[in-house]
Amino acid sequence: MTSSTLKFMSTEREDAQTATDITGTADIGVTGLAVMGSNIARNFARRGYTVAVHNRSTGKTDALLNEHGSDGDFVRTESIAEFAAALNSPRRALVMVQAGAPTDAVIDALADVFDEGDIIIDGGNALYTDTIRREKAMAERGIRFIGAGISGGEEGALEGPSIMPGGPASSYEVVGPMLESISAKVDGTPCCTHIGDDGSGHFVKMVHNGIEYSDMQLIGEAYHLLRGVAGIEPGPMAEVFRDWNTGELDSYLIEITAEVLAQVDADTGGPLVDVIVDRAGQKGTGRWTVKSALDLGVPVTGIAEAVFARALSSSVPQREAGKSLPSGTVSTPSEAGAEFVEDVRKALYASKIIAYAQGFDQITAASTEHGWDIARGDLATIWRGGCIIRAKFLNHIREAYAQNPELPTLLAAPYFAEALADCVDSWRRVVTTAVTAGIPAPGFSAALAYYDGLRTDRLPAALIQGQRDFFGAHTYLRTDRDGSFHTLWSGDRSEVRA
């Protein structure tokens, strides 16, 4: 270790110290000091931990310490070897770097200087299959590995995020108290819990982000309908969302929607939302959610439509060519006042319930496939604070799974069944209005179609299965007897037992 390793204690930066002074002095280390990593390091320091900090470029390390060194005790390091030496045993290092190859590179570098029993925590948005692979590889080297999904953005990282750690329970026993201490708290309960083995934490975070995609798309559709049908401008619409945030839609996303709509552009004097280019970006977790759902055979139609809607918004050549396409006959209600606004609110709430129900179904399927034994009620508990999808109605999800841990679908819980019954007429009116007005509402429509699919006694899948048997002899089941059957379509069309 070199004299470039400095220790920042409380409010002052001390002179360079000897290796003996700083060896094994840090409780935890954070490598990767972009916004999230820096803020989590500060969060640990504010909670009384001594934090070793490291970044590939020392400029970010120095910027953190120069601006926020007063947050607590930090140990400045320049190399991975220095970083490892600064940590007390067992070493605990949180990796906050870009997902993919950069994460692999940092993990491998840490493993080369760590000892048996030390712990590496990946806090980035890693693909859960990568986490499974990494946990296995580290276990072979005697190093404990935790994949922790972290949600809350810049503010949450500093003030208290929702944390979803997956990995061996014995590893969580070592780092869990530290993670819980920096997490958000709701009613005194930490928004952090052990999710399950290997990639379970990152899987849950992935689905969390998929639900986030759906929630944001639904809010966007509500905005589009209120403006396009009811003629409500962004300023007054901000007040509508503020009012909605006092009731069952109370959530972080509704809260910030009101703030965005109320923002006036300094250059034009008009609503800021009107000068933002209407192309939504994405970093991949939504796509991962949909791909995983396809592999698991779980219909997350609301999440999928949200992902595709973002893709459509960014399909610039196609949208330019599509501007000249005929609309057909479109019409809007002659009067779309308070009743329509209330209909949109109910459609938004109903569709939001569907998004969460589909997400929890996907988590259930993955938990069964991988043997993770995920407690769904725990997820509702830790998502109540810190994370982007935090919302008042997560309390109702928590209660639903407490009453029936084996609930086959969230929609069957009494609270949500009653909520949907109250919303369904409004929901149908809103989807109908969107279609007749020519306003795309894929999220509302897909959610309603899913709801109708669940409640329909006989689906056209019977015909599809007949078609499959006709062209591929895939067989079918009968409603009136056991066993599989095949019709000799190219023969005498008699039925035989398969």
Side-chain angles (χ1 to χ4, degrees):
M1 186 172 299
T2 70
S3 60
S4 63
T5 303
L6 306 179
K7 192 168 185 181
F8 282 67
M9 301 297 293
S10 300
T11 60
E12 63 182 8
R13 175 174 176 172
E14 298 186 345
D15 294 331
Q17 303 178 13
T18 65
T20 303
D21 289 330
I22 55 83
T23 298
T25 57
D27 302 305
I28 192 165
V30 178
T31 178
L33 300 176
V35 173
M36 287 289 288
S38 293
N39 280 0
I40 286 180
R42 293 174 60 197
N43 190 343
F44 276 119
R46 288 179 173 187
R47 298 310 191 275
Y49 298 107
T50 297
V51 186
V53 288
H54 169 266
N55 196 75
R56 185 170 55 87
S57 60
T58 57
K60 286 186 177 179
T61 307
D62 291 336
L64 165 64
L65 298 177
N66 288 332
E67 294 175 26
H68 304 292
S70 62
D71 278 351
D73 294 346
F74 297 95
V75 180
R76 176 188 184 276
T77 68
E78 289 191 1
S79 70
I80 285 289
E82 292 175 347
F83 180 67
L87 299 171
N88 60 34
S89 183
R91 297 182 178 95
R92 291 159 288 235
L94 175 62
V95 179
M96 296 296 295
V97 301
Q98 184 179 355
T103 298
D104 278 321
V106 173
I107 290 170
D108 288 341
L110 286 172
D112 288 341
V113 293
F114 270 23
D115 296 324
E116 185 174 347
D118 290 344
I119 301 173
I120 298 173
I121 309 164
D122 176 13
N125 268 335
L127 181 60
Y128 76 98
T129 51
D130 286 342
T131 304
I132 293 173
R133 168 178 58 80
R134 290 165 181 154
E135 196 271 336
K136 182 179 179 181
M138 290 299 102
E140 291 173 353
R141 301 178 66 168
I143 295 171
R144 295 180 282 184
F145 187 83
I146 288 177
I150 301 176
S151 177
E154 179 179 354
E155 179 183 357
L158 181 61
E159 302 296 337
S162 175
I163 308 177
M164 297 149 257
S170 59
S171 300
Y172 185 78
E173 289 174 4
V174 178
V175 299
M178 300 180 75
L179 297 178
E180 290 174 14
S181 72
I182 69 162
S183 73
K185 311 292 187 302
V186 177
D187 300 328
T189 301
C191 293
C192 173
T193 191
H194 181 235
I195 302 299
D197 289 336
D198 52 65
S200 60
H202 276 139
F203 186 92
V204 165
K205 174 56 163 56
M206 177 191 75
V207 176
H208 163 285
N209 284 23
I211 294 171
E212 178 184 311
Y213 272 56
S214 182
D215 211 342
M216 294 172 72
Q217 174 64 25
L218 294 168
I219 292 171
E221 291 177 17
Y223 154 78
H224 201 174
L225 286 160
L226 291 178
R227 197 165 190 187
V229 175
I232 304 174
E233 290 300 304
M237 199 187 305
E239 295 306 314
V240 172
F241 276 90
R242 288 194 178 106
D243 179 63
W244 287 357
N245 201 46
T246 63
E248 56 195 4
L249 281 172
D250 180 355
S251 66
Y252 174 72
L253 284 172
I254 294 291
E255 176 187 345
I256 68 170
T257 298
E259 296 302 315
V260 173
L261 290 172
Q263 184 68 20
V264 175
D265 176 53
D267 292 334
T268 65
L272 176 65
V273 71
D274 285 350
V275 296
I276 297 176
V277 174
D278 62 334
R279 295 199 293 270
Q282 52 183 308
K283 292 187 176 180
T285 49
R287 291 195 300 271
W288 292 349
T289 304
V290 176
K291 289 178 181 178
S292 165
L294 289 171
D295 290 338
L296 291 167
V298 178
V300 294
T301 51
I303 296 171
E305 286 295 349
V307 173
F308 291 140
R310 291 196 189 190
L312 177 61
S313 75
S314 298
S315 300
V316 177
Q318 293 89 340
R319 289 183 66 193
E320 284 297 318
K323 287 180 179 178
S324 60
L325 293 174
S327 65
T329 302
V330 297
S331 62
T332 58
S334 56
E335 294 183 6
E339 289 185 2
F340 181 71
V341 173
E342 177 63 6
D343 278 349
V344 173
R345 185 192 69 81
K346 288 186 173 183
L348 176 56
Y349 189 54
S351 300
K352 180 186 180 80
I353 292 170
I354 297 297
Y356 278 79
Q358 292 182 347
F360 275 96
D361 284 351
Q362 183 173 357
I363 290 168
T364 300
S367 180
T368 299
E369 178 153 315
H370 295 283
W372 287 334
D373 195 25
I374 296 174
R376 294 172 294 180
D378 287 352
L379 304 186
T381 298
I382 67 172
W383 287 350
R384 293 181 303 160
C387 70
I388 303 302
I389 63 171
R390 59 185 183 266
K392 179 181 178 181
F393 95 135
L394 280 160
N395 283 313
H396 296 297
I397 297 178
R398 183 188 186 198
E399 292 164 2
Y401 287 121
Q403 292 170 5
N404 183 4
E406 304 304 320
L407 198 63
T409 171
L410 195 60
L411 310 187
Y415 172 83
F416 293 107
E418 291 172 10
L420 291 170
D422 180 60
C423 292
V424 68
D425 289 341
S426 292
W427 200 3
R428 294 193 190 285
R429 285 193 293 268
V430 167
V431 171
T432 300
T433 298
V435 172
T436 56
I439 294 175
F444 285 160
S445 301
L448 181 58
Y450 175 83
Y451 172 79
D452 281 338
L454 286 187
R455 62 163 200 84
T456 298
D457 182 53
R458 288 281 293 172
L459 292 168
L463 175 60
I464 293 169
Q465 199 60 18
Q467 293 169 332
R468 294 182 71 242
D469 187 62
F470 190 106
F471 65 68
H474 292 294
T475 75
Y476 51 84
L477 304 177
R478 292 182 59 98
T479 62
D480 55 357
R481 69 186 79 141
D482 294 334
S484 297
F485 297 87
H486 167 59
T487 293
L488 302 175
W489 299 102
S490 58
D492 63 3
R493 298 210 170 191
S494 60
E495 182 180 74
V496 296
R497 189 177 290 273

